[in-house]
Amino acid sequence: MQATNDIRLLLALVTPLIGAGLIMAVGKKPNVRETVSLVTALLLAGLVAWLVPAVTRGETLHYTLFELLPASLAANLTAATTATALTIALRADSLSMIFAVVASSLWVLTVFYSAGYMRGLREHAQTRFSACFALALFGAIGCAFADNLLTLYLFYEVVSISTYPLVAHHQDAEGYAGGEKYLVYLTTTAKALILPAMVLIFVLSGTLDFANNAHTGILPATAHNTVITILYACCIVGFAKNGIMPFHHWLPGAMVAPTPVSALLHAVAVVKVGVFSTVRVMLYVFGVDTMHRLNLGLPTAYFVSITILVASIIALTKDNLKLRLAYSTVSQLSYIILGVALLTPTGVEGGLVHIANHAFAKITLFFCAGAIYVASHKKNISEMSGLGRVMPFTFGAFALASLGMIGAPPVGGFISKLYLLVGAMDAGTMGIMLVLIASTILNTAYFAPVVYQAFFGKLPPACRAGSPDPAEAEERRGQATPPYNEAHDHGHTSTAPGGEAPLAMVIPLCITAVASVALGFYPDFFMHFAHAVLP
């Protein structure tokens, strides 16, 4: 069932764009700025929630923004017998809603968290930060609701450009280097691989509109198999935000950004845009039937398995907490692509529901990393011994989210792993089952020591009294306190934690941790949408 020109899609799209403009307008009034950010996030979440009942009933909602090229002219540019108009258009279907609900709901919590973090560290350029954050959500929602490959590509690039100022926020050599790597990797791969692939797909099929189901795809049966395979490979690696090796280096490099940006990169928008775009093209441009016919599924699953295992091994070697989490993300993103590549209903469901399960768990982990830094100015795992007894809420949330990444019950990640394992069994591939088991062991190996050391490790003497180191306090007495710069602090600050981070940071991370557990007990909401993609 389809509805045309549903205005709610347009409202959801423009809400963060208007919010970004208002944030810039009131930037000199911090409290008003944060209020505008919060109201914008709440409005977006409400608009997305408004779409849920219709999509749950099986409706596909559409809205055409404008037509770039009418069908009569488009027919002259294609080898297909028929052609559709080139449009910038939106759609809300089951796959859209998984990403849209995740991004819009987590943005609300990120607004609270960002205010506590940025003010707690007295960061500069907070107005630019908030405005770019809103623009990134504008791009993310555009990708979620894209009705065709052209619209998806345009909003994909919006996300890349709008997040560059966030990655380079500190405006120092390290920040600019990370930002440059981020922008070069993401825009170069998109322009070099996705753009030409998109042109050839249009020439072959006469349309860029996504198929109405995940089986058929849009490519004609007359297209040469080798050409289809090359196009498929370009799309898999061209959406480099999906973190597949070897195009993953931008992700660890972007960790020079403030922690709320890391949360945005890893959970709310950026990497989810990458994997969402990848699975959207896999299912609705190529389609399950074509992938079966050309045997593209299992080779893709084994290809991303390399990323799953290698990134987990690299994560084991990282002492910096954010870098360990970054390589964890590189690994976890490929679970989503692996599940879809299994081409079984259960595998696809497991992959798609992991978009939500990973988002809530990973944003919790990054929220915790930021809270630890604000409270103790420590970034290295080796320096966090005993901090769990000083910051029990933060490290308790970290422990729950870690279970989600490992795939242990009762957290939502267990549902993902279970469905992926069953999907691998349905596909008859023991190799993928072994990859999932091995990666679970590796996940445990790099998360468990963090939690164990935090709760059972020896607390440094200066921390036991909950006061700063006396010598350092004497040295800094009478001096003006400069703003902390996370990019410049390399973990050597000995300032002891005085307890938890500000409530504006602790409350959101506790909520997302509880939500991760809730997704384990009540997975039906996202599972309903995932099941509808490939019934």
Side-chain angles (χ1 to χ4, degrees), residues 2 60 62-71 74 82-91 93 145-152 198 201-214 216-220 280-281 283-287:
Q2 296 188 359
T60 299
H62 291 268
Y63 188 90
T64 300
L65 294 172
F66 48 85
E67 187 177 278
L68 294 176
L69 192 67
T82 59
T84 62
L86 287 176
T87 61
I88 304 299
L90 308 174
R91 79 170 353 169
D93 58 10
F145 290 143
D147 190 29
N148 55 60
L149 188 53
L150 176 60
T151 305
L152 179 67
M198 181 169 59
I201 287 170
F202 179 76
V203 170
L204 291 174
S205 62
T207 184
L208 292 177
D209 294 345
F210 295 132
N212 293 323
N213 61 78
T216 59
I218 64 173
L219 291 165
R280 173 66 91 180
V281 170
L283 294 173
Y284 290 89
V285 172
F286 295 93

Side-chain angles (χ1 to χ4, degrees), residues 17-41:
L17 180 62
I18 295 172
L22 293 175
I23 289 168
M24 293 297 293
V26 300
K28 294 183 179 180
K29 300 176 181 179
N31 291 335
V32 178
R33 179 189 64 219
E34 310 303 350
T35 301
V36 170
S37 294
L38 177 60
V39 170
T40 303

Side-chain angles (χ1 to χ4, degrees), residues 90-112:
L90 308 174
R91 79 170 353 169
D93 58 10
S94 295
L95 181 56
S96 298
M97 295 311 297
I98 295 174
F99 181 32
V101 169
V102 167
S104 60
S105 59
L106 289 181
W107 188 28
V108 176
L109 296 172
T110 307
V111 168
F112 279 105

Side-chain angles (χ1 to χ4, degrees), residues 273-333:
V273 164
V275 291
F276 174 84
S277 300
T278 304
V279 300
R280 173 66 91 180
V281 170
M282 289 171 69
L283 294 173
Y284 290 89
V285 172
F286 295 93
V288 170
D289 294 347
T290 298
M291 292 178 66
H292 267 305
R293 180 170 60 86
L294 300 182
N295 191 31
L296 297 175
L298 286 181
T300 302
Y302 279 108
F303 174 61
V304 298
S305 294
I306 298 171
T307 298
I308 291 174
L309 296 177
V310 173
S312 295
I313 293 171
I314 295 175
L316 277 169
T317 69
K318 300 301 178 183
D319 187 40
N320 182 286
L321 181 57
K322 283 177 64 176
L323 277 179
R324 183 170 294 194
L325 296 179
Y327 279 101
S328 168
T329 296
V330 172
S331 173
Q332 293 279 333
L333 292 175

